[in-house]
Amino acid sequence: MALLIVLAVFAGSSTATLAGMTTPKETINKGLEVSGNYKWVADATDKYNCLANALGDRSKWIWPWGSKKPTSSKVNNYLADKGYKYSQPMDSQNVAVYEIISYGASSGIKHFGRIVSQKTRAKWGQLELLEHNGWDLYSSAYYGNAVRKYAVK
């Protein structure tokens, strides 16, 4: 009986949400401004990437720029064709309008996240799909700062 109670407590803890992770937490912590700022959402896979997830399509890998990092202008054009518009200024008070956020630098975007209830849900390359608190959360050595946010047209 005691073992059953311990298992029930463990299953309800936040540690249980990390059970499907294959990437060591130290690796993930190094990529974030605040260590431990993540929740596991889905297993690692090479089936889809950050942009595919941001667009809501987990059936394929999407990166129309080949092996290059696109400029913000190229991302603006691509996302406009997909029904999104670049929103300026980045209004933290009106979070409901934003759906996609780009990371890196204006001269080279290297990551995308999807905004879900004031959190960022992002697929880390071939690694797991994770959810993070906040929008500007990556260390500069990893994906970099938040560059632009996009809303549905």
Side-chain angles (χ1 to χ4, degrees), residues 111-123:
H111 184 61
F112 294 89
R114 184 159 188 88
I115 298 170
V116 180
S117 300
Q118 297 187 346
K119 295 178 186 257
T120 303
R121 192 170 284 178
K123 175 75 168 56

Side-chain angles (χ1 to χ4, degrees), residues 67-79:
S67 61
K68 298 185 182 195
K69 294 179 204 140
T71 63
S72 284
S73 295
K74 288 182 179 181
V75 170
N76 290 351
N77 292 337
Y78 176 78
L79 290 178

Side-chain angles (χ1 to χ4, degrees), residues 18 22 33 72 80 83 96 119 126 134 148-149:
L18 303 178
T22 56
E33 293 290 332
S72 284
K119 295 178 186 257
Q126 295 183 22
R148 293 191 172 168
K149 293 180 180 73

Side-chain angles (χ1 to χ4, degrees), residues 31 50 103-105 108 110-111 122-125 138-145:
C50 61
Y103 294 92
K110 49 185 168 176
H111 184 61
K123 175 75 168 56
W124 285 31
Y138 297 110
S139 69
S140 59
Y142 210 74
Y143 286 131
N145 295 325

Side-chain angles (χ1 to χ4, degrees), residues 68-97:
K68 298 185 182 195
K69 294 179 204 140
T71 63
S72 284
S73 295
K74 288 182 179 181
V75 170
N76 290 351
N77 292 337
Y78 176 78
L79 290 178
D81 287 343
K82 300 291 181 188
Y84 293 90
K85 64 180 177 181
Y86 164 53
S87 295
Q88 178 68 24
M90 292 193 285
D91 181 2
S92 62
Q93 299 302 310
N94 196 6
V95 66
V97 302

Side-chain angles (χ1 to χ4, degrees), residues 17-56:
T17 62
L18 303 178
M21 293 186 70
T22 56
T23 306
K25 69 178 182 178
E26 295 80 18
T27 302
I28 296 172
N29 285 343
K30 285 180 186 175
L32 299 170
E33 293 290 332
V34 179
S35 179
N37 177 17
Y38 56 87
K39 178 179 96 172
W40 174 89
V41 178
D43 286 337
T45 179
D46 61 0
K47 187 174 181 180
Y48 67 98
N49 64 341
C50 61
L51 181 56
N53 180 71
L55 292 168

